[in-house]
């Protein structure tokens, strides 16, 4: 016993030593993470001071020295003497602040998360590969490198990223590498292509074809088209109604035969209506300066690190400022001395699903156009942390990959089994060329030429110049299809259902210098019914677009601040339309309902952060939609369906108060009327809010109910997130902040004939991806208040300014 007591401390020490230096599943060795020499402690950074500092770094691969000036927001202003050094420096500096984000996002997009987290990431990885994430990126890269300057910029950017990676030690690794216990790998141009391709997954992979086909099967085409119309009840299209065509349209392909297809046993989510954006440009005749002003705020998932990274890039032939995307060269949305531009998502129908008839279980042949055709196979290899490698086979037809075979369970249930995917994102593209040229554009013709290279995801490119022009192109590669082709699943055996080419780029919807004095987009319908081509039947609700156009129409003597105010507009145009129609039907209220009704009657229709009326109304709309439509369209989990939009509900209230849809078919006791559904949904609304927040009071305010958060990219990492941010807005509001999405970058630029634009911007995050940096989330409060920061646009490196905090010289 005495000997055991002597050895016991040694035994405990050995056990702890082993435990602290051993991986436990996907957890890192805790001794390594907690080490004072290599652990997370060393990632803390000193807070900035007003004193200017200087630093020199040697970066392999540079041709000539590069000067970098950091302002008080830690934004680098890069001055290089040639393109190669400019993009090498961009890659290095971006990686220095955002390396983990860059690599984690490309691992996710490329279906490689299981290499980091083990087998629990395999289902997601397989889905990404099956959808063609890597295949599509490979096709894109083929197109990108056909342009020598794009190829050179991608390679230089990669060299810069790798120079930073090679400088890292265990001590200096970003925090997340220590948390997840892995090391960065070499960057290559394909990773940039994967990153850019992932934007198509984020913005253009929503699909409701399966749900719509289930409706077609159950109710027939008349009902499907009546309740899911191909143009909204209320709309204000992006290209102003009546804009004349400046082209002769091509013949429209004949429509394929109706196709019902096989049944489905999947529960499918609808497209996310909150993934959108706003942009507009106001002509000089409506501004106080007499020069155009442009505004842009893309609505994306709010995350830390931020989706965007601000930077100014200066070299011979280029001086551009704006938001870059960590992982790819160039500025994506921004301005130079002559022009400004911004983007919003189009949301056109560029993804179709074709039911495939295989010859036999080998799946080596499929039936099309009256004959058997050979499939091709792509072998996908997966490395799984802690387990053996996994090999998967994806079958390709001429349409595209068969994402899930008929016996498989999809990762995302909006994917029909046994169907091939035809998607514009799987084709060659030249996005790097588009932004390379756009960064250097000096006028409208340059802008128009640059965006011809941009294919997917289709974007509304808004434009303004210091020559006084404003414009907007609904820009992308759009298939030439029959009307409504792709609203429902398609017959993969029928050649009439194949795509028949593409709409010529110069016939994409566009407008320049319209008489109304502004251009704008908010993801609503691109065009009115006179446009000859089919772009899709389903776009974002028109509420934001109508509100923006309403305000810009009456706006005169506009300033940067008035457009900033419009970006933060919280007015609920939907409530203005619906409340007068709904309130008269809430009769005989109980005391709780009566108190809530009084709040609604006094509400100013603003979704301000402290509004209780906004909470009551927004929750009511959700429950009204559910009460009205779920019994017919959300009752059969084996054949899930869309429910009609709020716009369609509005039309039903106004024009069809006696429609059969008001009756709840699950209720056996009586036939419900419109008034019954409105009243009971309001009562359910109040009951649910009391259950969530207690009696009507301060806990009902909108921001507490909505709970907007900017969350770390690692799910559940609340300690590295900012939650329950006090901000108003909503999904159908111009200030489109929701629980997890919102304005990811707000920009307002006033052009100047002198070449010194007056620009302001902010995003909900900070420049640094390091949680130990003061610049990790230092812009969130500014963003939440609806304020903007002045953006420092330098014409030369030695320009006088008191905003520079650090000078860095990069040498070879």
């Amino acid at each position: 016993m005495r000997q055991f007591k002597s050895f016991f401390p040694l035994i405990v020490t050995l056990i702890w030593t082993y435990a602290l230096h051993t991986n436990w599943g996907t957890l890192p060795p805790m001794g390594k993470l907690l080490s004072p020499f290599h652990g997370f402690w060393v990632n803390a950074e000193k807070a900035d001071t007003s004193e200017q500092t200087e630093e020199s770094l040697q970066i392999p691969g540079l041709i000539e020295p590069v000067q970098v000036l950091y302002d008080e927001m830690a934004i680098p202003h890069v001055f290089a003497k040639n393109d190669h050094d400019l993009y090498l420096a961009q890659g290095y500096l971006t990686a220095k602040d955002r390396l983990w984000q860059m690599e984690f996002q490309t691992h996710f997009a490329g279906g490689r998360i299981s290499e980091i987290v083990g087998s629990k990431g395999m289902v997601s990885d397989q889905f990404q590969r099956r959808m063609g994430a890597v295949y599509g990126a490979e096709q894109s890269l083929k197109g990108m490198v056909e342009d020598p300057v794009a190829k050179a910029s991608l390679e230089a950017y990669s060299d810069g990223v790798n120079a930073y990676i090679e400088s890292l030690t265990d001590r200096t690794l970003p925090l997340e590498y220590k948390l997840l216990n892995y090391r960065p790998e070499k960057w290559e141009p394909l990773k940039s292509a994967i990153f850019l391709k992932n934007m198509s997954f984020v913005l253009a992979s929503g699909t409701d074809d399966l749900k719509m086909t289930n409706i077609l099967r159950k109710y027939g085409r008349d009902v499907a088209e009546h309740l899911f119309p191909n143009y909204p009840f209320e709309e204000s299209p992006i290209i102003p109604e009546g804009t004349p065509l400046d082209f002769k349209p091509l013949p429209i392909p004949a429509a394929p035969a109706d196709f019902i297809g096989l049944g489905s046993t999947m529960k499918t989510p609808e497209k996310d209506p909150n993934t959108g954006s706003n942009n507009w440009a106001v002509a000089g005749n409506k501004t106080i300066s007499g020069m155009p002003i442009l505004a842009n705020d893309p609505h994306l998932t709010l995350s830390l690190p931020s989706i965007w990274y601000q930077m100014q890039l200066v070299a011979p032939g280029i001086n551009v400022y704006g938001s870059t995307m960590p992982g790819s060269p160039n500025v994506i949305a921004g301005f130079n001395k002559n022009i400004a531009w911004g983007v919003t998502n189009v949301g056109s129908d560029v993804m179709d699903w074709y039911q495939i008839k295989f010859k036999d279980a080998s799946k080596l042949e499929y039936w099309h156009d009256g004959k058997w055709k050979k499939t091709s196979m792509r072998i996908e290899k997966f490395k799984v942390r802690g387990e053996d490698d996994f090999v998967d086979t994806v079958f390709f037809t001429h349409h595209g990959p068969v994402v899930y075979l008929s016996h498989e369970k999809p990762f995302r249930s909006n994917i029909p089994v046994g169907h091939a995917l035809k998607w514009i994102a799987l084709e060659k593209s030249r996005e790097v060329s588009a932004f390379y040229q756009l960064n250097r554009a000096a006028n409208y013709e340059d802008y128009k030429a640059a965006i011809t290279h941009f294919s997917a995801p289709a974007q509304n490119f808004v434009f303004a110049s210091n020559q006084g022009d404003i414009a907007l192109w609904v820009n992308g590669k759009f298939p030439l299809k029959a009307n409504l082709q792709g609203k429902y699943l398609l017959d993969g055996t029928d050649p009439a259902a194949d795509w028949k080419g593409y709409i010529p780029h110069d016939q994409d919807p566009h407008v320049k210098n319209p008489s109304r004095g502004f251009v704008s987009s908010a993801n609503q319908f691109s065009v009115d019914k006179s446009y000859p081509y089919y772009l899709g039947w389903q776009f974002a609700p028109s509420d934001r677009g109508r509100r923006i156009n309403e305000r810009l129409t009456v706006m005169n003597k506009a300033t940067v601040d008035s457009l900033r105010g419009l970006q933060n507009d919280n007015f609920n145009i939907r409530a203005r339309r619906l409340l007068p129609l709904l309130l008269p039907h809430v009769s005989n209220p109980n005391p709780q309902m009566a108190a809530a009704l009084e709040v609604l009657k006094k509400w100013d229709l603003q979704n301000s952060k402290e509004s209780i009326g906004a909470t009551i109304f927004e929750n009511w709309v959700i429950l009204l939609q559910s009460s009205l439509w779920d019994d017919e369209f959300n009752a059969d989990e084996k054949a899930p369906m869309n429910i009609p939009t709020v716009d369609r509900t509005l039309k039903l209230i106004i024009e069809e108060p006696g429609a059969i849809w008001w009756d709840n078919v699950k209720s056996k006791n009586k036939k419900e009327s419109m008034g019954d559904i409105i009243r009971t949904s309001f009562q359910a609304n109040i009951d649910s809010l009391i259950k969530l927040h207690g009696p009507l009071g301060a806990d009902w305010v909108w921001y507490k109910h909505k709970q907007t958060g900017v969350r770390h990219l690692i799910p559940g990492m609340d300690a590295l997130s900012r939650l329950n941010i006090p901000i108003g807005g909503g999904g159908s509001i111009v200030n489109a902040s929701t629980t997890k999405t919102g304005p990811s970058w707000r920009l307002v630029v006033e052009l100047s004939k002198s070449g010194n634009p007056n620009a302001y911007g902010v995003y909900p995050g900070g420049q640094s991806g390091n949680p130990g940096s003061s610049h990790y989330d230092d812009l969130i409060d500014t963003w939440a208040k609806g304020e903007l920061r002045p953006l420092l646009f330098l014409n030369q490196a030695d320009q006088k300014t008191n905003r520079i905090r650090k000078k860095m010289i990069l040498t070879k």
Side-chain angles (χ1 to χ4, degrees):
M1 176 63 74
R2 188 174 298 170
Q3 287 180 327
F4 176 77
K5 288 181 178 179
S6 299
F7 283 105
F8 182 72
L10 176 61
I11 294 170
V12 171
T13 301
L14 290 172
I15 291 172
W16 271 107
T17 301
Y18 175 79
L20 290 172
H21 291 82
T22 302
N23 291 334
W24 297 94
T26 56
L27 293 176
M30 297 308 291
K32 183 178 178 181
L33 182 63
L34 298 174
S35 165
F37 305 105
H38 303 288
F40 69 88
W41 315 100
V42 301
N43 293 98
E45 296 179 1
K46 293 181 179 179
D48 288 348
T49 66
S50 58
E51 295 181 5
Q52 190 177 108
T53 62
E54 294 191 13
E55 182 181 356
S56 295
L57 289 175
Q58 287 187 314
I59 311 297
L62 285 176
I63 299 171
E64 299 183 77
V66 175
Q67 188 167 351
V68 183
L69 308 176
Y70 281 92
D71 64 26
E72 80 284 2
M73 291 186 284
I75 297 165
H77 304 258
V78 185
F79 290 81
K81 297 178 181 178
N82 57 74
D83 272 7
H84 172 272
D85 290 351
L86 183 70
Y87 294 115
L88 190 147
Q90 184 184 9
Y92 182 90
L93 296 170
T94 306
K96 188 171 180 291
D97 279 329
R98 301 289 190 86
L99 177 63
W100 177 81
Q101 173 193 10
M102 294 165 62
E103 188 171 56
F104 185 81
Q105 288 184 327
T106 51
H107 266 64
F108 171 79
R112 297 180 57 197
I113 286 294
S114 53
E115 295 179 24
I116 301 171
V117 303
S119 58
K120 61 185 177 184
M122 262 305 301
V123 179
S124 169
D125 285 351
Q126 190 177 25
F127 168 73
Q128 292 292 117
R129 304 271 192 101
R130 290 281 190 96
M131 287 285 287
V134 179
Y135 171 81
E138 291 169 352
Q139 298 307 304
S140 287
L141 187 60
K142 289 178 183 178
M144 291 174 188
V145 300
E146 289 173 353
D147 179 356
V149 295
K151 181 176 184 290
S153 65
L154 282 167
E155 290 173 347
Y157 186 90
S158 296
D159 290 344
V161 176
N162 289 328
Y164 178 70
I165 291 173
E166 290 162 10
S167 74
L168 290 170
T169 64
D170 286 347
R171 175 182 173 83
T172 57
L173 277 175
L175 173 63
E176 289 87 353
Y177 287 104
K178 297 174 182 179
L179 287 172
L180 297 171
N181 192 30
Y182 74 108
R183 290 189 63 87
E185 67 181 19
K186 184 178 180 180
W187 194 268
E188 56 186 16
L190 179 61
K191 280 178 167 278
S192 293
I194 288 172
F195 179 84
L196 290 169
K197 187 58 60 180
N198 190 52
M199 294 310 297
S200 286
F201 276 76
V202 172
L203 297 173
S205 63
T207 174
D208 287 324
D209 303 13
L210 177 58
K211 283 188 170 184
M212 291 305 302
T213 299
N214 286 336
I215 293 170
L216 193 66
R217 293 185 189 113
K218 183 171 182 178
Y219 293 110
R221 179 170 288 274
D222 289 345
V223 168
E225 294 299 315
H226 180 64
L227 292 182
F228 299 88
N230 304 307
Y231 204 80
F233 179 51
E234 294 186 331
E235 185 57 278
S236 180
I238 291 170
I239 305 305
E241 190 170 354
T243 299
L245 300 180
D246 58 0
F247 58 86
K248 182 180 179 180
L250 299 177
I252 306 301
D258 281 356
F259 179 66
I260 300 299
L262 300 176
S264 167
T265 59
M266 296 177 293
K267 185 176 181 181
T268 60
E270 296 182 63
K271 291 181 179 179
D272 182 358
N274 298 317
T275 303
S277 307
N278 304 323
N279 65 19
W280 57 84
V282 179
N285 60 7
K286 289 175 72 70
T287 69
I288 200 166
S289 69
M291 295 297 292
I293 306 177
L294 179 142
N296 187 201
D297 55 294
H299 307 155
L300 296 167
T301 300
L302 303 177
S303 66
L304 286 170
S306 171
I307 289 172
W308 303 100
Y309 181 76
Q310 291 186 64
M311 187 173 269
Q312 183 176 4
L313 302 173
V314 187
I318 179 174
N319 184 355
V320 63
Y321 184 115
S323 275
T324 69
M325 301 198 88
S328 65
N330 302 299
V331 165
I332 304 300
F335 61 95
N336 59 37
K337 67 179 183 178
N338 295 310
I339 76 160
W341 75 96
V343 293
T344 69
N345 193 42
V346 175
S348 51
D349 187 4
V350 293
M351 172 185 280
D352 288 338
W353 295 94
Y354 291 83
Q355 184 174 298
I356 300 303
K357 178 182 177 181
F358 287 111
K359 186 174 184 179
D360 52 41
S362 72
K363 301 174 184 61
L364 297 178
E365 295 180 89
Y366 67 103
W367 186 256
H368 177 261
D369 196 17
K371 52 183 172 291
W372 295 109
K373 297 184 176 180
K374 292 188 180 298
T375 59
S376 60
M377 288 179 286
R378 179 180 172 92
I379 306 301
E380 296 284 1
K381 295 181 180 180
F382 299 82
K383 294 184 180 297
V384 185
R385 186 171 188 170
E387 298 187 17
D388 293 336
D389 293 353
F390 175 77
V391 177
D392 190 24
T393 302
V394 184
F395 294 91
F396 277 71
T397 71
H398 74 287
H399 298 295
V402 181
V403 179
Y404 287 101
L405 301 173
S406 56
H407 64 279
E408 295 177 318
K409 181 179 180 180
F411 170 58
R412 288 188 183 172
S413 50
N414 59 334
I415 308 303
V417 298
H419 286 65
L421 169 64
K422 180 69 173 178
W423 189 16
I424 211 74
L426 303 183
E427 302 187 10
K428 286 173 65 173
S429 58
R430 299 178 66 170
E431 280 73 28
V432 173
S433 298
F435 291 117
Y436 181 92
Q437 293 182 23
L438 199 52
N439 286 194
R440 292 160 173 76
N443 51 46
Y444 174 75
E445 293 302 321
D446 290 348
Y447 146 83
K448 189 170 70 168
I451 61 176
T452 61
H453 299 293
F454 191 91
S455 299
Q459 298 289 292
N460 300 299
F461 278 86
V462 71
F463 166 86
S465 76
N466 63 359
Q467 294 98 46
D469 291 322
I470 61 171
L472 192 149
W473 277 72
V474 180
N475 187 82
K477 190 175 182 181
F478 301 110
L480 180 63
K481 300 196 291 186
N483 188 40
L484 305 186
Q485 183 179 344
K487 183 174 183 178
Y488 309 97
L489 298 177
L490 295 166
D491 182 358
T493 71
D494 183 5
D498 290 2
W499 290 4
K500 298 298 190 296
Y502 300 94
I503 298 171
H505 181 268
D506 61 1
Q507 298 185 19
D508 288 353
H510 58 275
V511 62
K512 178 186 178 186
N513 298 329
S515 57
R516 66 182 184 179
F518 68 89
V519 293
S520 74
S521 74
N523 317 110
Q524 74 270 41
F525 264 72
S526 303
V527 291
D528 63 19
K529 296 178 182 178
S530 67
Y531 184 69
Y533 301 117
Y534 175 65
L535 297 178
W537 70 277
Q538 185 184 32
F539 293 80
S542 66
D543 306 83
R544 284 184 291 114
R546 288 188 289 120
R547 176 60 177 170
I548 290 167
N549 291 347
E550 181 180 273
R551 283 198 59 183
L552 289 178
T553 296
V554 299
M555 188 179 292
N556 289 299
K557 297 184 178 180
T559 64
V560 165
D561 198 56
S562 56
L563 296 191
R564 177 201 62 82
L566 179 52
Q567 286 181 332
N568 289 277
D569 186 283
N570 285 322
F571 184 77
N572 198 318
I573 195 171
R574 178 177 287 178
R576 184 179 67 186
R577 192 76 162 96
L578 270 175
L579 273 180
L581 300 172
L582 298 178
L583 289 176
H585 294 282
V586 184
S587 57
N588 301 315
N590 62 33
Q592 293 88 352
M593 293 168 63
L597 281 172
E598 283 304 306
V599 172
L600 279 183
K601 290 174 182 177
K602 296 175 181 178
W603 179 37
D604 60 3
L605 304 185
Q606 296 285 337
N607 275 32
S608 55
K609 63 183 179 182
E610 301 291 346
S611 172
I612 294 177
T615 301
I616 297 171
F617 174 76
E618 295 286 0
N619 204 54
W620 189 7
V621 170
I622 293 170
L623 292 176
L624 174 64
Q625 285 288 96
S626 177
S627 298
L628 172 57
W629 301 113
D630 278 1
D631 56 321
E632 286 98 353
F633 294 95
N634 205 17
D636 186 355
E637 291 190 0
K638 293 184 177 181
M641 296 176 271
N642 275 353
I643 67 168
T645 63
V646 175
D647 177 82
R648 189 63 186 83
T649 298
L650 172 65
K651 185 176 182 182
L652 200 73
I653 294 170
I654 295 172
E655 297 184 358
E656 302 174 69
I660 60 171
W661 308 109
W662 292 109
D663 179 39
N664 185 346
V665 297
K666 292 183 177 180
S667 171
K668 305 299 182 183
N669 298 327
K670 71 170 196 174
K671 182 177 181 180
E672 287 79 11
S673 67
M674 180 176 75
D676 293 332
I677 294 299
I678 292 173
R679 184 187 185 282
T680 56
S681 66
F682 185 74
Q683 181 170 349
N685 174 34
I686 303 310
D687 291 345
S688 70
L689 290 174
I690 291 173
K691 185 176 181 180
L692 282 171
H693 307 303
L696 177 63
D699 287 340
W700 284 38
V701 298
W702 179 227
Y703 88 89
K704 291 182 180 180
H705 178 75
K706 177 162 63 80
Q707 295 190 344
T708 296
V710 185
R711 293 165 175 82
H712 192 271
L713 287 170
I714 300 177
M717 195 67 69
D718 289 356
L720 303 182
S721 306
R722 288 281 298 273
L723 304 176
N724 205 19
I725 296 169
I727 185 172
S732 62
I733 307 299
V734 177
N735 177 20
S737 60
T738 69
T739 302
K740 294 184 178 181
T741 64
S744 62
W745 160 241
R746 290 194 183 110
L747 173 69
V748 180
V749 183
E750 182 176 56
L751 279 303
S752 167
K753 289 184 178 179
S754 68
N756 292 301
N758 183 24
Y760 297 81
V762 73
Y763 52 69
Q767 282 291 98
S768 178
N770 178 12
S773 168
S774 61
H775 294 294
Y776 175 68
D777 61 356
D778 58 322
L779 299 177
I780 289 180
D781 293 336
T782 301
W783 172 83
K785 293 174 185 175
E787 299 172 354
L788 300 174
R789 296 283 185 93
L791 305 181
L792 178 61
F793 184 73
L794 299 173
N795 287 306
Q796 51 196 31
D798 59 357
Q799 188 172 324
K800 296 289 185 182
T801 175
N802 62 0
R803 294 179 59 183
I804 299 303
R805 297 293 180 266
K806 181 169 72 172
K807 290 185 179 181
M808 183 184 291
I809 303 298
L810 309 181
T811 59
K812 59 183 177 180

